[in-house]
Amino acid sequence: MTATNPGPARTRGAGRAALTNFLRRPLASYYLVLGSGGLLLLLGLIMVFSSTTYVSTQQFGHPAYYFTRQLIWVLVALPIAWLITRMPIRLLRAVSLLLVIGAVGLLALTYVPGLGVVRGGSRNWLDFGGPFLLQPSEAAKLALIVWVAHVFANKGALVRQWRQLLIPVAPVAVIIVGLTLGQGDMGTSVVMMFILLTMVWVLGVPTWLFGLAVGSVSVVGVYLIFSTGYRTQRVLGFLDPFADYANTGYQAANSIFAFANGGWWGTGLGASTQKWGTLPEQHTDFIFAILGEELGLPGSLMVIVLFLAFGYAGLRIAMRTKDTFVRLAAAGITGWFMVQTVINLGMVLAVFPVVGVPLPLVSYGGASMVVTVSAVGLLLALAKQEPGAKEALAAQRERRLRRREATR
């Protein structure tokens, strides 16, 4: 008789047991958010450098221009995110109204001549002179999540009444989404509407009311698409990018070329050919195409797995807490990142229309990077509210102090 080798089965069993034990820990969600978010941020820095060496040299005479700016913004964002992780939840809720008022004010400033500037066909930037450009719609996402979670948490059981559910959230959301749409930024507006739908769904509203909300958003979306000629062309252009290659299909077609050039295993880090001026927005909205070209299927799957881990952790935080604010805020942030990721990947893979949505934590961005990293910091703060998490963190600090004292 031939003896079977129990090694692989034993290894798989040990791996499953280790994963199960890890997920049972109170800080599992905390470390999943920290690990996946940190790796995505690091990978984003690497890909920004790789995808911009040519354009940086052509435009500024230095291959690391865009990378240096990205690194500076990340270094600015990390201390802010750290402070948010230490911020008491009650303080965050206390300033939520100020955050949403500030977001509306900044969005309104984009309509002021001389302050609002057009980038990528959308008037969604504020120019304060020099390198200081701000995209208020990014900050508005986070402000809207915090404020809506606070309002619904205060209402308690009253949210079962449809009037209480709509007032004051619906009018404020219409103002914010309307200001964003008025800028010409349909992609960000779609993400905002999905964020709100995610929070309403997690809140547990009646099915008929949630269905009405989804139907209303869908009708508005279809109207906006077909009420403007250029939007209709962009939306329909993804069905066959090569039919109008020189115009509406150019980005999607060259994104397909990037993945085709990379093949299964990629051309190697830094060896992309599409980044040499062929693929527009190669370091922002279409950075995943350059990643797929250089790192192939393994690199692409790694990004997807990291986002899935992030999404799982966010949903885990929302499901394990008894605090309504924590549950809604965690669901809002998770919905934001996951919906935006799905839209960006679908756009890059020519499955969805090109709507100008960056890949969170990976795409190049200035102030928007500060906002997304801050959102990760907030999710880490919410993860501390899970049962047993604070006690586990306190025990860890105590063990570290003891080790330091023992080494003295």
Side-chain angles (χ1 to χ4, degrees):
M1 295 179 62
T2 303
T4 58
N5 183 10
R10 186 177 301 166
T11 302
R12 288 193 296 269
R16 284 194 295 268
L19 179 61
T20 302
N21 290 333
F22 170 74
L23 294 177
R24 286 174 179 169
R25 296 178 182 178
L27 291 175
S29 301
Y30 181 89
Y31 286 121
L32 279 173
V33 172
L34 184 63
S36 58
L39 288 173
L40 285 168
L41 195 60
L42 178 61
L43 183 61
L45 285 171
I46 294 172
M47 291 311 304
V48 165
F49 178 72
S50 177
S51 63
T52 59
T53 51
Y54 174 75
V55 294
S56 293
T57 304
Q58 291 294 108
Q59 296 175 6
F60 305 102
H62 192 281
Y65 176 82
Y66 285 105
F67 169 77
T68 302
R69 287 172 62 90
Q70 182 82 333
L71 182 60
I72 291 173
W73 282 113
V74 169
L75 293 177
V76 170
L78 288 176
I80 296 174
W82 180 82
L83 289 174
I84 293 175
T85 64
R86 316 278 294 186
M87 184 183 296
I89 297 299
R90 64 179 182 277
L91 177 59
L92 186 65
R93 294 184 62 175
V95 301
S96 61
L97 181 59
L98 295 177
L99 292 176
V100 82
I101 292 174
V104 171
L106 290 173
L107 285 170
L109 286 178
T110 60
Y111 293 85
V112 177
L115 282 178
V117 294
V118 177
R119 291 289 180 90
S122 301
R123 192 183 183 87
N124 57 353
W125 292 87
L126 287 175
D127 187 356
F128 296 105
F132 298 103
L133 283 172
L134 177 66
Q135 191 176 7
S137 56
E138 291 297 316
K141 295 175 190 173
L142 186 56
L144 189 63
I145 289 170
V146 174
W147 179 74
V148 170
H150 172 68
V151 170
F152 283 157
N154 276 350
K155 287 180 179 289
L158 291 176
V159 295
R160 297 293 178 180
Q161 304 173 19
W162 69 269
R163 290 183 180 86
Q164 293 290 336
L165 182 68
L166 294 178
I167 306 297
V169 169
V172 174
V174 167
I175 291 172
I176 291 178
V177 174
L179 287 170
T180 306
L181 274 173
Q183 298 170 340
D185 191 352
M186 185 174 177
T188 301
S189 304
V190 170
V191 173
M192 287 180 176
M193 288 187 281
F194 270 107
I195 289 172
L196 291 170
L197 288 176
T198 300
M199 297 179 74
V200 170
W201 176 70
V202 171
L203 188 63
V205 300
T207 304
W208 70 267
L209 191 56
F210 181 74
L212 180 63
V214 173
S216 301
V217 169
S218 302
V219 169
V220 171
V222 172
Y223 169 77
L224 291 171
I225 289 171
F226 292 100
S227 63
T228 309
Y230 80 91
R231 284 181 183 154
T232 305
Q233 291 177 358
R234 291 181 68 177
V235 169
L236 296 180
F238 87 99
L239 298 174
D240 185 4
F242 300 98
D244 190 12
Y245 172 76
N247 190 18
T248 58
Y250 185 79
Q251 277 184 302
N254 279 281
S255 180
I256 294 172
F257 290 152
F259 285 105
N261 185 45
W264 289 103
W265 305 108
T267 58
L269 190 63
S272 165
T273 57
Q274 291 298 108
K275 68 182 181 183
W276 295 83
T278 306
L279 178 63
E281 306 297 335
Q282 79 278 11
H283 58 305
T284 54
D285 299 345
F286 280 80
I287 195 169
F288 187 71
I290 304 299
L291 185 147
E293 182 182 7
E294 295 189 347
L295 303 183
L297 183 62
S300 301
L301 290 178
M302 178 176 62
V303 171
I304 294 172
V305 168
L306 288 174
F307 274 113
L308 287 175
F310 187 92
Y312 168 78
L315 290 177
R316 191 173 187 267
I317 295 167
M319 292 173 63
R320 285 169 57 89
T321 184
K322 296 180 180 179
D323 188 301
T324 302
F325 173 81
V326 173
R327 181 169 67 254
L328 292 176
I333 295 171
T334 306
W336 166 16
F337 276 63
M338 299 310 292
V339 167
Q340 191 161 317
T341 298
V342 169
I343 293 175
N344 178 271
L345 297 186
M347 177 182 72
V348 171
L349 294 169
V351 177
F352 297 155
V354 177
V355 291
V357 173
L359 189 60
L361 300 175
V362 180
S363 293
Y364 174 83
S368 62
M369 176 60 71
V370 176
V371 175
T372 52
V373 174
S374 298
V376 175
L378 176 55
L379 195 57
L380 288 171
L382 299 175
K384 293 180 181 180
Q385 306 304 311
E386 283 195 38
K390 290 182 178 179
E391 294 78 5
L393 283 171
Q396 284 187 357
R397 286 193 291 268
E398 182 66 24
R399 286 194 295 270
R400 284 197 295 266
L401 287 174
R402 289 177 180 176
R403 284 197 295 267
R404 290 175 184 173
E405 292 176 356
T407 56
R408 290 178 181 175

